[in-house]
């Protein structure tokens, strides 16, 4: 499942995405998961521990997930409905911090970056530059062990502040706030596409299929993988394997690569 | 710059404030120490390279370090320093891709500490000592933002026993043209055939523009250095490099060139492993390379043939005193 995953805590936070992405629900070893061709959606339930355990379970089941976008509501010293992106996610309990590598400003020009601080209980001591939530640190603690800093992101919409209390939040507001984030989530999902994924997959499949026909040791399989990648890059095609055993196949492939010229001729550059 | 991380301890430093003023729209993130972002384990250099962030920090600990033995241009005491880590350019052979986890740029704003260290080290030697900037970055590329070189030249003009090498592929030479040349500085340009510039040295100035910058610097009295490093293997190697040597050497005053050096393409083994994972689609990194102890290089015979040919071609035009065969990065 080579897809990015949207992660929310509450059904009300997930709903607009069901419609937009035409997500289909399915059960995966006890996880309630939703999927379409472009992405997955995981609903974790409320709180850091629930978020961490569901996120970890999903990454265990689907280790190929390419990215995670946590989206949800948060309290902050900012107008209700403001969209924020986490420049830092902090676990208020342990002090542990994660720094997502933020997407280009031109892709998300209107999102202010803040520290998203995850608390065990709703927090109302609103401070400038900080948004309070209850899940982000759990998601980051589970996801950042598997995915790089560009591939785990967090977006929050301000749901409560000094003048509008947590108790005043209602479901229809949450739906609208999340719906307003769809363009941002769309962009984030596109940015998480791995530029070399297709090449890696092609090479993986090729070596797996070769290993079914001929016996390769683990080291030989690594060599075959590397040389197949080189062949694909230098010749723009997968190699044809000649030989009946691993050793002779690898030697012929090595010879072929050594004989492949690397040309830099460029018709746009004129001879002086 | 889209995102700027700022160490708390230098958040009020005048250079921090001056740099931030240039980026009023940037997202600012406060950090304790630069390594919590820069050295974090789970980062992807290739993805970050699409929009690197800037990290403003204070360089603590050792700031000026001895160079590897073969890294010199005739001096006896050789050091390097990096006021900046990483580079705005994106050369596919660059060892920084293998050395660092992050593609973000770190700028150390405590320039005076570097200059003080250089002064102290220089005073420890009777003979002149050399200081190589541009080891972990390009010396000039980010100059409009850092203004490091401008201040560095002020400092070196006060320490005549200290020699500075600026190493660049950029044409940000205005700070050099806006002042008188100083005697103890060499401005060295890394040069490659234009085809290789276009294919492998992404975002750098073209060969023609680099030659033009060399001409202007020479006319202004600066000592210049030519660094044909790294030599990249190509099926039409002699045609490409022969033409480039001609383009460069016919455009400048050869006798006034301070130093010319060649460098083979070599990478530490671990860096190479990381780089081929990041860029499996790179032709340069997919070419035939061999493990050679702790390093990866072209097969010995290929490397020797390239160096011998370049050496012979260059030595027919320059003097052997100007030539330093192996300044490898
Ligand atoms: S200019 Fe130098 S430091 Fe910059 S990417 Fe190229 S090789 Fe690396």
């Amino acid at each position: 499942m080579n897809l990015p995953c949207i992660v929310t805590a509450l059904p009300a936070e997930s709903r607009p995405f069901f419609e937009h992405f035409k997500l289909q629900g399915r059960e995966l070893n006890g996880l309630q998961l939703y999927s379409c061709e472009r992405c997955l959606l995981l609903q974790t339930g409320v709180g850091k521990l629930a978020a961490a355990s569901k996120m970890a379970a999903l990454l265990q089941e689907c280790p190929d997930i390419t990215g995670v976008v946590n989206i949800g509501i948060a309290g902050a010293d900012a107008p209700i409905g403001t969209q924020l992106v986490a420049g830092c996610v902090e676990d208020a309990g342990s002090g542990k911090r994660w720094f997502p590598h933020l997407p280009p400003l031109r892709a998300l020009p209107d999102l202010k970056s803040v520290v998203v601080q995850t608390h065990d209980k709703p927090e109302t001591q609103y401070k400038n530059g900080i948004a309070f939530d209850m899940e982000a640190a759990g998601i980051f603690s589970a996801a950042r062990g598997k995915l790089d800093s560009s591939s785990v992101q967090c977006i929050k919409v301000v749901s409560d502040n000094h003048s509008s209390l947590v108790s005043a939040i209602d479901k229809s507001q949450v739906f609208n706030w999340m719906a307003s984030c769809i363009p941002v989530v769309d962009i984030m999902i596109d940015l998480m596409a791995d530029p070399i994924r297709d090449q890696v997959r092609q090479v993986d499949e090729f070596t797996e299929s070769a290993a079914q026909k001929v016996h390769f040791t683990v080291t030989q399989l690594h060599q075959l993988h590397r040389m197949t990648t080189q062949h694909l890059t230098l010749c723009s095609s997968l190699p044809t394997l000649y030989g009946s055993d691993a050793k002779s196949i690898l030697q012929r492939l090595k010879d072929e690569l050594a004989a492949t010229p690397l040309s830099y001729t460029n018709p746009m550059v004129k001879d002086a | 710059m889209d995102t700027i991380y700022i160490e708390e301890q230098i958040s009020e430093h005048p250079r921090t404030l001056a740099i931030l003023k240039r980026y009023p729209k940037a997202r600012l993130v406060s950090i304790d120490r630069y390594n919590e972002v820069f050295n974090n384990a789970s980062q992807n250099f290739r993805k970050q390279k699409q929009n690197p962030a800037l990290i403003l920090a204070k360089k603590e600990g050792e700031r000026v370090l001895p160079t590897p033995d073969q890294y010199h241009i005739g001096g006896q005491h050789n050091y390097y320093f990096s006021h900046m880590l990483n580079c705005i350019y994106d050369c596919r052979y660059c060892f920084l891709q293998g050395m660092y986890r992050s593609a973000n740029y770190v700028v150390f704003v405590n320039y005076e500490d570097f200059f003080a260290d250089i002064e102290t080290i220089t005073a420890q030697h009777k003979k002149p000592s050399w200081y190589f900037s541009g080891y972990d970055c390009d010396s000039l590329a980010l100059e409009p933002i850092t203004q490091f070189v401008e201040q560095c030249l002020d400092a070196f003009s006060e320490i005549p026993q200290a020699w500075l090498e600026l190493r660049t592929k950029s044409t940000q030479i205005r700070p050099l043209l806006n002042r008188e040349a100083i005697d103890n500085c060499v401005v060295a340009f890394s040069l490659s055939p234009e085809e290789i510039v276009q294919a492998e040295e992404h975002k750098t100035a073209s060969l023609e523009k680099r030659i033009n910058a060399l001409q202007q610097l020479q006319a202004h009295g600066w000592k210049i250095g030519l660094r044909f490093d790294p030599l990249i293997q190509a099926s039409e190697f002699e045609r490409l490099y022969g033409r480039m040597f001609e383009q460069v050497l016919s455009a400048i005053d050869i006798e006034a060139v301070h130093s010319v050096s060649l460098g083979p393409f070599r990478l530490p083994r671990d860096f190479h492993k990381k780089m081929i994972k990041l860029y499996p689609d790179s032709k340069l990194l997919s070419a035939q390379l061999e493990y050679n102890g702790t390093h990866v290089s072209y097969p010995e015979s290929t490397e020797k043939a390239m160096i011998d040919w370049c050496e012979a071609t260059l030595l027919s035009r320059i003097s052997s005193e100007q030539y330093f065969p192996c300044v490898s990065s």
Side-chain angles (χ1 to χ4, degrees):
Chain A
M1 235 178 301
N2 247 318
L3 294 170
C5 183
I6 301 166
V7 182
T8 63
L10 304 162
E13 291 169 329
S14 312
R15 223 158 277 141
F17 300 106
F18 291 160
E19 229 167 84
H20 176 74
F21 290 108
K22 307 209 171 13
L23 294 163
Q24 302 286 323
R26 62 187 173 122
E27 161 91 25
L28 185 74
N29 271 351
L31 286 172
Q32 188 57 48
L33 195 62
Y34 303 86
S35 65
C36 67
E37 278 184 5
R38 274 186 73 202
C39 62
L40 307 172
L41 186 145
L42 173 73
Q43 212 171 275
T44 64
V46 176
K48 187 174 75 184
L49 290 180
S53 66
K54 292 268 172 55
M55 188 74 250
L58 178 66
L59 288 164
Q60 174 82 23
E61 289 299 324
C62 311
D64 297 343
I65 280 177
T66 55
V68 165
V69 186
N70 168 223
I71 178 151
I73 55 172
D77 180 17
I80 300 295
T82 307
Q83 295 173 5
L84 304 167
V85 62
C88 170
V89 170
E90 183 176 328
D91 183 340
S94 68
K96 185 149 175 42
R97 305 201 289 179
W98 296 266
F99 295 91
H101 187 83
L102 296 177
L105 204 51
R106 65 175 184 281
L108 306 170
D110 303 324
L111 265 65
K112 188 172 178 272
S113 85
V114 292
V115 174
V116 171
Q117 207 173 64
T118 302
H119 291 257
D120 293 334
K121 293 189 189 126
E123 173 64 47
T124 53
Q125 301 294 311
Y126 306 107
K127 283 182 218 148
N128 187 23
I130 300 180
F132 301 126
D133 92 325
M134 293 175 68
E135 290 82 25
I139 293 161
F140 273 66
S141 71
R144 278 292 294 275
K146 308 260 182 209
L147 293 162
D148 62 71
S149 59
S150 307
S151 305
V152 187
Q153 300 287 350
C154 173
I155 299 163
K156 297 287 163 183
V157 183
V158 179
S159 56
D160 49 285
N161 59 18
H162 288 294
S163 47
S164 182
L165 302 180
V166 181
S167 52
I169 302 170
D170 79 46
K171 281 183 187 166
S172 68
Q173 277 178 308
V174 175
F175 181 95
N176 290 335
W177 292 329
M178 292 297 119
S180 71
C181 287
I182 285 172
V184 172
V185 173
D186 255 333
I187 291 168
M188 284 220 168
I189 284 177
D190 285 345
L191 288 171
M192 280 176 182
D194 186 346
I196 52 171
R197 192 181 74 184
D198 287 346
Q199 180 178 12
V200 173
R201 194 170 43 199
Q202 242 182 313
V203 175
D204 285 349
E205 285 169 8
F206 181 83
T207 37
E208 267 165 40
S209 114
Q212 280 166 9
K213 293 173 202 144
V214 178
H215 173 72
F216 288 87
T217 64
V218 175
T219 310
Q220 286 172 330
L221 213 51
H222 279 132
Q223 290 170 344
L224 178 65
H225 196 278
R226 174 69 195 134
M227 286 197 267
T228 304
T229 304
Q230 288 173 280
H231 197 283
L232 193 53
T233 300
L234 293 173
C235 312
S236 310
S237 65
L238 289 163
T240 306
L241 301 183
Y242 299 101
S244 52
D245 61 288
K247 209 173 156 196
S248 62
I249 288 174
L250 291 173
Q251 188 54 52
R252 290 189 65 166
L253 190 49
K254 193 174 173 197
D255 294 343
E256 188 189 342
L257 287 169
T260 304
L262 178 53
S263 169
Y264 281 101
T265 293
N266 175 348
M268 302 301 285
V269 180
K270 302 259 182 314
D271 270 337
Chain B
M1 296 303 162
D2 290 349
T3 307
I4 305 180
Y5 298 97
I6 308 149
E7 274 187 3
E8 246 159 55
Q9 60 172 333
I10 49 94
S11 61
E12 296 299 323
H13 191 289
R15 275 186 203 109
T16 305
L17 300 177
I19 292 172
L20 293 182
K21 216 169 160 189
R22 299 180 65 105
Y23 299 103
K25 290 195 177 144
R27 299 169 291 217
L28 308 184
V29 183
S30 174
I31 53 174
D32 292 336
R33 291 290 292 130
Y34 78 93
N35 10 18
E36 71 180 313
V37 178
F38 191 69
N39 290 343
N40 189 285
S42 53
Q43 302 188 76
N44 183 303
F45 193 100
R46 182 172 181 156
K47 288 185 197 166
Q48 288 191 354
K49 197 75 193 167
Q50 289 167 15
N51 68 314
L54 175 64
I55 303 174
L56 299 175
K58 180 177 179 192
K59 177 70 179 165
E60 314 264 23
E62 287 194 288
R63 283 174 282 262
V64 181
L65 296 158
T67 60
D69 282 348
Q70 76 280 19
Y71 199 101
H72 66 88
I73 40 173
Q76 208 175 325
H77 310 294
N78 299 286
Y79 298 89
Y80 72 96
F81 63 93
S82 304
H83 72 289
M84 183 177 168
L85 308 180
N86 270 326
C87 180
I88 60 168
Y89 303 137
D90 189 14
C91 304
R92 194 51 59 243
Y93 52 72
C94 181
F95 75 106
L96 298 177
Q97 304 165 112
M99 186 159 81
Y100 295 137
R101 291 170 171 158
S102 170
N104 292 334
Y105 316 134
V106 182
V107 171
F108 298 113
V109 297
N110 52 326
Y111 302 167
E112 289 75 13
D113 292 333
F114 286 90
F115 308 149
D117 291 352
I118 288 167
E119 203 170 346
T120 308
I121 294 171
T122 307
Q124 288 163 3
H125 300 297
K126 286 208 179 79
K127 292 205 167 153
S129 28
W130 277 83
Y131 298 89
F132 293 87
S133 155
Y135 197 84
D136 296 326
C137 63
D138 183 290
S139 299
L140 286 170
L142 216 62
E143 186 59 15
I145 293 153
T146 64
Q147 286 163 10
F148 175 78
V149 168
E150 211 175 309
Q151 291 165 56
C152 195
L153 291 169
D154 287 341
F156 272 79
S157 65
E158 303 289 317
I159 328 171
Q161 282 286 93
W163 280 72
L164 171 68
E165 187 201 75
L166 299 172
R167 176 87 171 252
T168 193
K169 287 191 181 104
S170 123
T171 51
Q172 299 288 352
I173 54 169
R174 203 172 313 147
L176 297 165
L177 299 180
N178 282 347
R179 63 183 298 149
E180 265 187 37
I182 61 169
D183 256 357
N184 53 335
C185 173
V186 176
V187 188
F189 273 72
S190 303
L191 301 160
S192 298
E194 179 58 23
E195 288 86 346
I196 291 175
V197 171
Q198 288 191 20
E200 310 291 2
E201 299 178 352
H202 308 288
K203 303 185 197 159
T204 62
S206 66
L207 174 64
E208 194 185 335
K209 286 193 174 143
R210 288 182 221 175
I211 294 173
N212 190 269
L214 280 167
Q215 286 174 316
Q216 290 186 62
L217 288 167
Q218 233 186 8
H220 202 78
W222 288 97
K223 292 187 175 69
I224 59 163
L226 309 177
R227 308 284 175 259
F228 301 109
D229 174 14
L231 296 177
I232 300 298
Q233 199 251 323
S235 49
E236 58 287 77
F237 181 82
E238 293 182 10
R239 182 173 68 79
L240 299 186
Y241 277 82
R243 193 191 56 208
M244 174 194 51
F245 291 150
E246 184 51 37
Q247 281 172 284
V248 175
L249 298 176
S250 63
I252 55 174
D253 176 359
I254 300 177
E255 273 181 26
V257 170
H258 173 270
S259 48
V260 179
S261 63
L262 288 179
F265 173 47
R266 286 192 185 156
L267 285 169
R269 208 178 162 132
D270 291 350
F271 293 5
H272 177 255
K273 267 193 187 160
K274 221 179 111 187
M275 286 160 66
I276 57 177
K277 267 198 183 157
L278 282 172
Y279 296 97
D281 49 349
S282 158
K283 288 199 171 170
L284 184 141
L285 297 172
S286 293
Q288 200 196 13
L289 294 166
E290 281 181 357
Y291 291 122
N292 212 327
T294 56
H295 278 71
V296 173
S297 59
Y298 292 124
E300 208 183 321
S301 56
T302 310
E303 184 181 290
K304 189 174 178 315
M306 287 159 61
I307 292 178
D308 287 353
W309 185 85
C310 289
E311 202 167 82
T313 311
L314 285 170
L315 285 172
S316 69
R317 303 285 300 272
I318 63 167
S319 75
S320 55
E321 287 75 41
Q322 289 173 300
Y323 177 62
F324 297 91
C326 196
V327 180
S328 174
S329 46

